[in-house]
Amino acid sequence: LVSKVKQHFFSPPQPQTMARVTLYLLLTSASAFVAPSQQRSASSLNAYVPDGLDAGTWANMQKAKKTKAANNKLKYPKGAPQVVGVGQYLEELAKKQTFFKDGNGNTKVSGTGHKWAKVKFGEFTKEAYDEWRKNG
């Protein structure tokens, strides 16, 4: 029995067995070089569309982003018409200031006429500011 086992392990492989093993190895390794199947159908323009989105949704998202950027540019226009000199600013400020007398007869400022130099979020009015403060 021991001699048969030794003979089996140390005997040269059969030509048919070697051919089968070689064929198996060639077929399994060849599948690694096959291009993966396409999940999407090719569009006429082959435009980029992120995974998980269809072309219509992606187009709407891009259009909304461009519109938002254009509206933001309109909110902060460039150029000289927005620039007010110090003299003109102080004159307008003096016209807009309002005063009142408190209970002791002292003069107090009720409205300064101050303008904000830069508005970060939308239109800056007292109502908009109060709404912003209320919402936190």
Side-chain angles (χ1 to χ4, degrees):
L1 183 71
V2 174
S3 65
K4 282 191 174 190
V5 169
K6 282 184 180 178
Q7 185 183 13
H8 178 69
F9 282 116
F10 297 111
S11 63
Q14 299 296 325
Q16 290 178 342
T17 307
M18 285 299 288
R20 287 181 186 159
V21 169
T22 305
L23 182 63
Y24 174 76
L25 291 174
L26 285 174
L27 290 177
T28 56
S29 64
S31 65
F33 296 103
V34 175
S37 62
Q38 291 292 332
Q39 302 258 340
R40 296 174 182 257
S41 62
S43 68
S44 60
L45 299 177
N46 289 330
Y48 170 75
V49 178
D51 289 336
L53 295 177
D54 62 355
T57 305
W58 179 241
N60 290 340
M61 288 173 65
Q62 287 180 315
K63 184 177 178 183
K65 185 176 179 181
K66 283 183 182 179
T67 303
K68 183 178 177 184
N71 289 340
N72 193 39
K73 290 244 184 221
L74 292 175
K75 192 186 301 184
Y76 305 110
K78 293 180 182 179
Q82 287 82 34
V83 177
V84 177
V86 174
Q88 181 184 353
Y89 171 75
L90 291 175
E91 289 171 1
E92 290 176 5
L93 183 69
K95 290 177 189 174
K96 292 179 182 175
Q97 284 180 333
T98 56
F99 302 94
F100 72 96
K101 299 233 180 216
D102 65 1
N104 296 328
N106 297 323
T107 304
K108 300 282 184 177
V109 177
S110 63
T112 62
H114 174 74
K115 289 183 186 177
W116 290 98
K118 182 178 179 182
V119 178
K120 188 171 184 179
F121 300 106
E123 295 299 319
F124 194 85
T125 61
K126 181 179 182 329
E127 294 78 21
Y129 177 76
D130 292 339
E131 181 71 22
W132 175 80
R133 292 291 294 176
K134 183 175 78 173
N135 292 335

